[in-house]
mmCIF file of all heavy atoms in Angstrom:
data_model
loop_
_atom_site.group_PDB
_atom_site.id
_atom_site.type_symbol
_atom_site.label_atom_id
_atom_site.label_comp_id
_atom_site.label_asym_id
_atom_site.label_seq_id
_atom_site.Cartn_x
_atom_site.Cartn_y
_atom_site.Cartn_z
ATOM 1 N N SER A 205 150.685 131.461 99.138
ATOM 2 C CA SER A 205 149.977 131.364 97.859
ATOM 3 C C SER A 205 149.103 132.599 97.650
ATOM 4 O O SER A 205 148.513 133.124 98.599
ATOM 5 C CB SER A 205 149.113 130.101 97.822
ATOM 6 O OG SER A 205 149.914 128.945 97.894
ATOM 7 N N ILE A 206 149.016 133.045 96.416
ATOM 8 C CA ILE A 206 148.179 134.192 96.042
ATOM 9 C C ILE A 206 146.969 133.649 95.284
ATOM 10 O O ILE A 206 147.117 132.893 94.316
ATOM 11 C CB ILE A 206 148.967 135.184 95.159
ATOM 12 C CG1 ILE A 206 150.200 135.692 95.924
ATOM 13 C CG2 ILE A 206 148.092 136.346 94.721
ATOM 14 C CD1 ILE A 206 151.118 136.565 95.090
ATOM 15 N N THR A 207 145.778 134.003 95.737
ATOM 16 C CA THR A 207 144.561 133.423 95.163
ATOM 17 C C THR A 207 144.275 133.935 93.749
ATOM 18 O O THR A 207 143.734 133.214 92.916
ATOM 19 C CB THR A 207 143.342 133.721 96.054
ATOM 20 O OG1 THR A 207 143.234 135.140 96.241
ATOM 21 C CG2 THR A 207 143.500 133.051 97.411
ATOM 22 N N ASN A 208 144.612 135.195 93.486
ATOM 23 C CA ASN A 208 144.427 135.728 92.129
ATOM 24 C C ASN A 208 145.253 136.994 91.975
ATOM 25 O O ASN A 208 145.708 137.592 92.952
ATOM 26 C CB ASN A 208 142.948 135.996 91.824
ATOM 27 C CG ASN A 208 142.339 137.041 92.736
ATOM 28 O OD1 ASN A 208 142.705 138.211 92.704
ATOM 29 N ND2 ASN A 208 141.408 136.602 93.586
ATOM 30 N N LEU A 209 145.433 137.392 90.740
ATOM 31 C CA LEU A 209 146.143 138.616 90.395
ATOM 32 C C LEU A 209 145.140 139.549 89.728
ATOM 33 O O LEU A 209 144.535 139.198 88.711
ATOM 34 C CB LEU A 209 147.294 138.303 89.441
ATOM 35 C CG LEU A 209 148.024 139.489 88.812
ATOM 36 C CD1 LEU A 209 148.718 140.306 89.887
ATOM 37 C CD2 LEU A 209 149.037 139.012 87.778
ATOM 38 N N THR A 210 144.953 140.737 90.298
ATOM 39 C CA THR A 210 143.975 141.694 89.780
ATOM 40 C C THR A 210 144.690 142.952 89.304
ATOM 41 O O THR A 210 145.532 143.508 90.021
ATOM 42 C CB THR A 210 142.949 142.073 90.862
ATOM 43 O OG1 THR A 210 142.321 140.883 91.349
ATOM 44 C CG2 THR A 210 141.897 143.003 90.301
ATOM 45 N N LEU A 211 144.374 143.389 88.114
ATOM 46 C CA LEU A 211 145.018 144.577 87.565
ATOM 47 C C LEU A 211 144.026 145.389 86.747
ATOM 48 O O LEU A 211 143.087 144.857 86.152
ATOM 49 C CB LEU A 211 146.216 144.200 86.698
ATOM 50 C CG LEU A 211 145.932 143.387 85.432
ATOM 51 C CD1 LEU A 211 145.955 144.280 84.207
ATOM 52 C CD2 LEU A 211 146.939 142.267 85.279
ATOM 53 N N SER A 212 144.240 146.703 86.760
ATOM 54 C CA SER A 212 143.505 147.632 85.900
ATOM 55 C C SER A 212 144.542 148.514 85.219
ATOM 56 O O SER A 212 145.441 149.040 85.888
ATOM 57 C CB SER A 212 142.544 148.510 86.705
ATOM 58 O OG SER A 212 141.538 147.732 87.317
ATOM 59 N N GLU A 213 144.454 148.649 83.928
ATOM 60 C CA GLU A 213 145.417 149.466 83.210
ATOM 61 C C GLU A 213 144.767 150.201 82.054
ATOM 62 O O GLU A 213 143.741 149.764 81.512
ATOM 63 C CB GLU A 213 146.596 148.623 82.714
ATOM 64 C CG GLU A 213 146.238 147.553 81.721
ATOM 65 C CD GLU A 213 147.447 146.725 81.284
ATOM 66 O OE1 GLU A 213 148.388 146.573 82.078
ATOM 67 O OE2 GLU A 213 147.437 146.239 80.130
ATOM 68 N N ILE A 214 145.364 151.323 81.697
ATOM 69 C CA ILE A 214 144.891 152.126 80.582
ATOM 70 C C ILE A 214 146.055 152.306 79.611
ATOM 71 O O ILE A 214 147.193 152.540 80.032
ATOM 72 C CB ILE A 214 144.332 153.480 81.063
ATOM 73 C CG1 ILE A 214 143.673 154.227 79.910
ATOM 74 C CG2 ILE A 214 145.383 154.315 81.755
ATOM 75 C CD1 ILE A 214 142.840 155.413 80.364
ATOM 76 N N THR A 215 145.783 152.143 78.329
ATOM 77 C CA THR A 215 146.826 152.187 77.305
ATOM 78 C C THR A 215 146.434 153.149 76.195
ATOM 79 O O THR A 215 145.294 153.107 75.703
ATOM 80 C CB THR A 215 147.068 150.790 76.695
ATOM 81 O OG1 THR A 215 147.470 149.888 77.726
ATOM 82 C CG2 THR A 215 148.148 150.837 75.624
ATOM 83 N N LEU A 216 147.364 153.983 75.794
ATOM 84 C CA LEU A 216 147.181 154.881 74.656
ATOM 85 C C LEU A 216 148.133 154.450 73.551
ATOM 86 O O LEU A 216 149.347 154.343 73.766
ATOM 87 C CB LEU A 216 147.453 156.330 75.057
ATOM 88 C CG LEU A 216 147.334 157.374 73.930
ATOM 89 C CD1 LEU A 216 145.928 157.407 73.354
ATOM 90 C CD2 LEU A 216 147.747 158.751 74.426
ATOM 91 N N ASN A 217 147.572 154.179 72.372
ATOM 92 C CA ASN A 217 148.349 153.728 71.227
ATOM 93 C C ASN A 217 148.374 154.808 70.145
ATOM 94 O O ASN A 217 147.347 155.424 69.843
ATOM 95 C CB ASN A 217 147.745 152.429 70.667
ATOM 96 C CG ASN A 217 148.245 152.093 69.270
ATOM 97 O OD1 ASN A 217 147.475 152.049 68.323
ATOM 98 N ND2 ASN A 217 149.540 151.879 69.135
ATOM 99 N N PHE A 218 149.541 155.027 69.576
ATOM 100 C CA PHE A 218 149.712 155.882 68.409
ATOM 101 C C PHE A 218 150.160 154.991 67.253
ATOM 102 O O PHE A 218 151.157 154.266 67.376
ATOM 103 C CB PHE A 218 150.790 156.959 68.643
ATOM 104 C CG PHE A 218 150.410 157.990 69.668
ATOM 105 C CD1 PHE A 218 150.587 157.730 71.024
ATOM 106 C CD2 PHE A 218 149.899 159.218 69.282
ATOM 107 C CE1 PHE A 218 150.253 158.684 71.974
ATOM 108 C CE2 PHE A 218 149.559 160.177 70.226
ATOM 109 C CZ PHE A 218 149.739 159.904 71.570
ATOM 110 N N ARG A 219 149.432 155.050 66.144
ATOM 111 C CA ARG A 219 149.792 154.244 64.977
ATOM 112 C C ARG A 219 149.884 155.132 63.743
ATOM 113 O O ARG A 219 148.966 155.899 63.451
ATOM 114 C CB ARG A 219 148.751 153.142 64.737
ATOM 115 C CG ARG A 219 149.157 152.157 63.640
ATOM 116 C CD ARG A 219 148.117 151.045 63.499
ATOM 117 N NE ARG A 219 148.586 149.981 62.635
ATOM 118 C CZ ARG A 219 148.516 149.995 61.296
ATOM 119 N NH1 ARG A 219 147.935 151.045 60.691
ATOM 120 N NH2 ARG A 219 148.979 149.006 60.575
ATOM 121 N N TYR A 220 151.022 155.022 63.047
ATOM 122 C CA TYR A 220 151.224 155.822 61.841
ATOM 123 C C TYR A 220 151.678 154.915 60.713
ATOM 124 O O TYR A 220 152.673 154.194 60.836
ATOM 125 C CB TYR A 220 152.260 156.912 62.076
ATOM 126 C CG TYR A 220 152.474 157.792 60.858
ATOM 127 C CD1 TYR A 220 151.462 158.627 60.390
ATOM 128 C CD2 TYR A 220 153.689 157.784 60.175
ATOM 129 C CE1 TYR A 220 151.646 159.426 59.273
ATOM 130 C CE2 TYR A 220 153.888 158.585 59.065
ATOM 131 C CZ TYR A 220 152.856 159.408 58.622
ATOM 132 O OH TYR A 220 153.037 160.191 57.511
ATOM 133 N N ALA A 221 150.932 154.931 59.620
ATOM 134 C CA ALA A 221 151.252 154.116 58.443
ATOM 135 C C ALA A 221 150.860 154.919 57.201
ATOM 136 O O ALA A 221 149.718 154.843 56.733
ATOM 137 C CB ALA A 221 150.517 152.784 58.488
ATOM 138 N N LYS A 222 151.799 155.677 56.685
ATOM 139 C CA LYS A 222 151.522 156.547 55.544
ATOM 140 C C LYS A 222 151.167 155.719 54.312
ATOM 141 O O LYS A 222 151.787 154.697 54.024
ATOM 142 C CB LYS A 222 152.739 157.420 55.249
ATOM 143 C CG LYS A 222 152.506 158.475 54.177
ATOM 144 C CD LYS A 222 153.747 159.339 53.982
ATOM 145 C CE LYS A 222 153.503 160.404 52.909
ATOM 146 N NZ LYS A 222 154.707 161.255 52.717
ATOM 147 N N ASN A 223 150.130 156.158 53.608
ATOM 148 C CA ASN A 223 149.687 155.542 52.338
ATOM 149 C C ASN A 223 149.182 154.107 52.507
ATOM 150 O O ASN A 223 149.151 153.345 51.547
ATOM 151 C CB ASN A 223 150.802 155.558 51.286
ATOM 152 C CG ASN A 223 151.274 156.956 50.945
ATOM 153 O OD1 ASN A 223 150.509 157.923 51.063
ATOM 154 N ND2 ASN A 223 152.529 157.080 50.530
ATOM 155 N N GLU A 224 148.772 153.732 53.722
ATOM 156 C CA GLU A 224 148.266 152.372 53.938
ATOM 157 C C GLU A 224 146.901 152.209 53.283
ATOM 158 O O GLU A 224 146.045 153.078 53.358
ATOM 159 C CB GLU A 224 148.163 152.069 55.420
ATOM 160 C CG GLU A 224 147.800 150.631 55.735
ATOM 161 C CD GLU A 224 147.863 150.318 57.207
ATOM 162 O OE1 GLU A 224 147.684 151.251 58.009
ATOM 163 O OE2 GLU A 224 148.101 149.153 57.562
ATOM 164 N N LYS A 225 146.713 151.076 52.639
ATOM 165 C CA LYS A 225 145.441 150.754 51.988
ATOM 166 C C LYS A 225 144.764 149.619 52.749
ATOM 167 O O LYS A 225 145.412 148.761 53.338
ATOM 168 C CB LYS A 225 145.662 150.340 50.527
ATOM 169 C CG LYS A 225 146.335 151.423 49.673
ATOM 170 C CD LYS A 225 145.444 152.645 49.518
ATOM 171 C CE LYS A 225 146.022 153.650 48.530
ATOM 172 N NZ LYS A 225 147.315 154.213 48.951
ATOM 173 N N TYR A 226 143.424 149.618 52.694
ATOM 174 C CA TYR A 226 142.646 148.614 53.427
ATOM 175 C C TYR A 226 141.604 147.966 52.525
ATOM 176 O O TYR A 226 141.113 148.576 51.571
ATOM 177 C CB TYR A 226 141.902 149.263 54.602
ATOM 178 C CG TYR A 226 142.780 149.733 55.722
ATOM 179 C CD1 TYR A 226 143.177 151.058 55.801
ATOM 180 C CD2 TYR A 226 143.206 148.851 56.710
ATOM 181 C CE1 TYR A 226 143.983 151.500 56.841
ATOM 182 C CE2 TYR A 226 144.002 149.288 57.759
ATOM 183 C CZ TYR A 226 144.384 150.609 57.812
ATOM 184 O OH TYR A 226 145.177 151.045 58.837
ATOM 185 N N LEU A 227 141.281 146.739 52.870
ATOM 186 C CA LEU A 227 140.090 146.072 52.361
ATOM 187 C C LEU A 227 139.058 146.169 53.477
ATOM 188 O O LEU A 227 139.243 145.608 54.554
ATOM 189 C CB LEU A 227 140.392 144.609 52.031
ATOM 190 C CG LEU A 227 139.253 143.777 51.455
ATOM 191 C CD1 LEU A 227 138.815 144.337 50.106
ATOM 192 C CD2 LEU A 227 139.672 142.323 51.301
ATOM 193 N N ARG A 228 137.977 146.911 53.246
ATOM 194 C CA ARG A 228 137.042 147.260 54.316
ATOM 195 C C ARG A 228 135.759 146.434 54.258
ATOM 196 O O ARG A 228 135.211 146.193 53.188
ATOM 197 C CB ARG A 228 136.667 148.745 54.235
ATOM 198 C CG ARG A 228 137.819 149.700 54.324
ATOM 199 C CD ARG A 228 137.344 151.146 54.153
ATOM 200 N NE ARG A 228 138.453 152.065 54.018
ATOM 201 C CZ ARG A 228 139.101 152.615 55.039
ATOM 202 N NH1 ARG A 228 138.723 152.347 56.271
ATOM 203 N NH2 ARG A 228 140.117 153.445 54.841
ATOM 204 N N GLY A 229 135.302 146.041 55.441
ATOM 205 C CA GLY A 229 133.965 145.497 55.602
ATOM 206 C C GLY A 229 133.142 146.478 56.414
ATOM 207 O O GLY A 229 133.559 147.610 56.659
ATOM 208 N N GLU A 230 131.959 146.065 56.843
ATOM 209 C CA GLU A 230 131.127 146.961 57.638
ATOM 210 C C GLU A 230 131.728 147.210 59.020
ATOM 211 O O GLU A 230 131.637 148.308 59.567
ATOM 212 C CB GLU A 230 129.713 146.383 57.774
ATOM 213 C CG GLU A 230 128.960 146.242 56.460
ATOM 214 C CD GLU A 230 128.662 147.585 55.808
ATOM 215 O OE1 GLU A 230 128.808 148.634 56.467
ATOM 216 O OE2 GLU A 230 128.291 147.587 54.618
ATOM 217 N N PHE A 231 132.379 146.172 59.607
ATOM 218 C CA PHE A 231 132.935 146.310 60.952
ATOM 219 C C PHE A 231 134.447 146.079 60.988
ATOM 220 O O PHE A 231 135.143 146.684 61.800
ATOM 221 C CB PHE A 231 132.262 145.323 61.914
ATOM 222 C CG PHE A 231 130.798 145.596 62.115
ATOM 223 C CD1 PHE A 231 129.844 144.920 61.375
ATOM 224 C CD2 PHE A 231 130.374 146.544 63.032
ATOM 225 C CE1 PHE A 231 128.492 145.182 61.548
ATOM 226 C CE2 PHE A 231 129.028 146.809 63.213
ATOM 227 C CZ PHE A 231 128.083 146.129 62.463
ATOM 228 N N GLU A 232 134.941 145.204 60.167
ATOM 229 C CA GLU A 232 136.346 144.855 60.192
ATOM 230 C C GLU A 232 137.035 145.363 58.939
ATOM 231 O O GLU A 232 136.396 145.637 57.924
ATOM 232 C CB GLU A 232 136.505 143.331 60.298
ATOM 233 C CG GLU A 232 135.879 142.753 61.564
ATOM 234 C CD GLU A 232 135.779 141.241 61.511
ATOM 235 O OE1 GLU A 232 135.656 140.709 60.388
ATOM 236 O OE2 GLU A 232 135.810 140.600 62.575
ATOM 237 N N ARG A 233 138.350 145.486 59.021
ATOM 238 C CA ARG A 233 139.119 145.856 57.845
ATOM 239 C C ARG A 233 140.452 145.126 57.866
ATOM 240 O O ARG A 233 141.005 144.817 58.928
ATOM 241 C CB ARG A 233 139.325 147.364 57.769
ATOM 242 C CG ARG A 233 140.146 147.984 58.876
ATOM 243 C CD ARG A 233 140.270 149.484 58.664
ATOM 244 N NE ARG A 233 141.134 150.097 59.675
ATOM 245 C CZ ARG A 233 141.444 151.389 59.689
ATOM 246 N NH1 ARG A 233 140.941 152.193 58.761
ATOM 247 N NH2 ARG A 233 142.241 151.873 60.618
ATOM 248 N N PHE A 234 140.966 144.855 56.691
ATOM 249 C CA PHE A 234 142.197 144.090 56.532
ATOM 250 C C PHE A 234 143.217 144.973 55.823
ATOM 251 O O PHE A 234 142.951 145.510 54.751
ATOM 252 C CB PHE A 234 141.929 142.821 55.718
ATOM 253 C CG PHE A 234 143.163 142.029 55.396
ATOM 254 C CD1 PHE A 234 143.751 141.238 56.368
ATOM 255 C CD2 PHE A 234 143.734 142.075 54.135
ATOM 256 C CE1 PHE A 234 144.896 140.506 56.081
ATOM 257 C CE2 PHE A 234 144.869 141.344 53.834
ATOM 258 C CZ PHE A 234 145.453 140.558 54.816
ATOM 259 N N SER A 235 144.373 145.139 56.448
ATOM 260 C CA SER A 235 145.400 146.004 55.875
ATOM 261 C C SER A 235 146.038 145.350 54.652
ATOM 262 O O SER A 235 146.447 144.190 54.689
ATOM 263 C CB SER A 235 146.480 146.313 56.914
ATOM 264 O OG SER A 235 147.538 147.046 56.322
ATOM 265 N N LEU A 236 146.131 146.100 53.568
ATOM 266 C CA LEU A 236 146.832 145.658 52.363
ATOM 267 C C LEU A 236 148.261 146.176 52.346
ATOM 268 O O LEU A 236 148.977 145.988 51.371
ATOM 269 C CB LEU A 236 146.079 146.133 51.119
ATOM 270 C CG LEU A 236 144.650 145.592 50.966
ATOM 271 C CD1 LEU A 236 143.985 146.190 49.739
ATOM 272 C CD2 LEU A 236 144.640 144.072 50.891
#
Side-chain angles (χ1 to χ4, degrees):
S205 296
I206 300 174
T207 56
N208 62 66
L209 171 64
T210 304
L211 64 101
S212 296
E213 63 181 30
I214 188 167
T215 300
L216 178 61
N217 164 243
F218 292 83
R219 187 177 190 277
Y220 182 66
K222 186 178 180 180
N223 300 333
E224 187 173 27
K225 300 294 187 297
Y226 291 97
L227 181 63
R228 302 177 189 274
E230 297 295 347
F231 295 96
E232 299 168 331
R233 64 180 184 178
F234 175 77
S235 174
L236 298 177

